[in-house]
Amino acid sequence: MVFRLLSVILAAVVASAGAAQAQGKAELLWYSQAAFKLTTQSGKVIMIDPWIMGATRIPPELKDLDKIGKVDLILVTHGHGDHLGDAMEISKRNNAPIWAPAGLNQTLATLGLMPANLVPRMSKGGAIEPFPGVKITMVHADHSSEMILKDPATGKDTSFAAGEPCGFIIELENGFRIYHMGDTGLFGDMKLIGEYYKPDLVLIPIGGHYVMDPKAAAYATKELIKPKMAWPMHYASNPFLRGTPAEYKAALGQSSIEVIDAVPGTKKQF
């Protein structure tokens, strides 16, 4: 009888602690370019497009893989070096799976660069629920995807196919939804993504040349996706990415959408 009573009390305490944790906030840390560290309300850590060691705008104190800490899962939107970045090294250090376009992960496994269990396959429209209360869906992006890797057979840098580029909708434990767009140009189905997934926050590229420029990004934000908040990214890391947050905000004009003013190293809670 006493044992049963203690069990009930313990279960209630655990449930209460879980509820309190779920009422906490998630944290998003921007490294630079498209690289983010997302810590969910329950403490799970998701790295997105983790270009760290080679990044050109990252704060020096963040340019250290040892300082990232534990990582539970990695998302990669496509194979370009400023997105695949340090994903393989981080994955191996933490035994954390990389979720990326199926063709990208298939190539990494086939070349023997990654163990198959750490590069599971996924395609657009697919969704995973890797942790309780967290759902991640792969969606379309309009870009290209290839990888420059050292060919194990020849030892030479070689270009390999890396599947189709993508974006991710990440739904957190409290229902807050983040849309990481990856690298993309403007496309009409952004309206469908906005209407169907209803993201609260969009992480949107604005640099131009390889991705949307500020004017196109503002149109996508205001007319198609219509989130509550927008975080401009993927600009100023090379001479071609000339778009600026100021130009993006000017193109957005009068709007209820909150634009997050951020520099590499910025943290924000949701």
Side-chain angles (χ1 to χ4, degrees), residues 42-54:
S42 60
K44 297 298 183 182
V45 176
I46 300 171
M47 295 295 294
I48 311 170
D49 284 354
W51 185 43
I52 309 295
M53 299 309 295

Side-chain angles (χ1 to χ4, degrees), residues 24-253:
K25 292 187 175 182
E27 181 181 85
L28 198 59
L29 164 63
W30 185 37
Y31 284 83
S32 72
Q33 200 72 337
F36 289 85
K37 177 182 179 181
L38 171 61
T39 304
T40 76
Q41 291 169 293
S42 60
K44 297 298 183 182
V45 176
I46 300 171
M47 295 295 294
I48 311 170
D49 284 354
W51 185 43
I52 309 295
M53 299 309 295
T56 54
R57 296 183 64 225
I58 191 170
E61 65 272 16
L62 293 179
K63 207 167 191 176
D64 185 345
L65 299 186
D66 292 331
K67 292 183 179 179
I68 294 175
K70 68 110 176 178
V71 173
D72 298 290
L73 184 147
I74 302 160
L75 300 176
V76 175
T77 60
H78 62 291
H80 293 161
D82 58 332
H83 295 262
L84 179 61
D86 301 288
M88 289 188 282
E89 177 64 22
I90 296 169
S91 171
K92 291 173 182 176
R93 287 186 178 204
N94 292 273
N95 198 38
I98 298 172
W99 289 95
L104 189 161
N105 279 4
Q106 186 68 59
T107 298
L108 295 180
T110 301
L111 291 174
L113 297 174
M114 288 295 296
N117 66 302
L118 292 182
V119 282
R121 299 180 69 199
M122 185 181 187
S123 292
K124 297 172 188 177
I128 58 171
E129 297 184 25
F131 320 116
V134 175
K135 183 177 181 180
I136 302 171
T137 305
M138 183 180 287
V139 295
H140 183 72
D142 201 355
H143 195 57
S144 59
S145 183
E146 60 279 333
M147 299 178 282
I148 305 298
L149 301 170
K150 195 170 291 297
D151 189 332
T154 65
K156 297 180 180 180
D157 285 345
T158 307
S159 181
F160 294 94
E164 294 187 4
C166 71
F168 290 102
I169 302 289
I170 307 165
E171 182 173 344
L172 301 177
E173 293 93 338
N174 65 350
F176 189 86
R177 292 184 180 129
I178 300 170
Y179 175 18
H180 189 296
M181 300 184 73
D183 278 5
T184 188
L186 190 65
F187 61 92
D189 278 350
M190 288 179 182
K191 186 174 189 294
L192 175 64
I193 291 172
E195 290 176 349
Y196 187 76
Y197 295 104
K198 296 178 173 60
D200 297 286
L201 168 66
V202 62
L203 310 177
I204 186 164
I206 66 164
H209 192 78
Y210 302 108
V211 297
M212 292 182 289
D213 63 14
K215 183 178 179 181
Y219 182 87
T221 306
K222 189 173 182 178
E223 303 298 333
L224 302 180
I225 306 170
K226 302 179 181 178
K228 296 174 184 174
M229 291 175 277
W231 189 321
M233 65 172 188
H234 204 280
Y235 61 91
S237 59
N238 68 54
F240 294 105
L241 298 173
R242 297 173 181 169
T244 67
E247 292 171 331
Y248 171 68
K249 287 191 283 188
L252 199 59

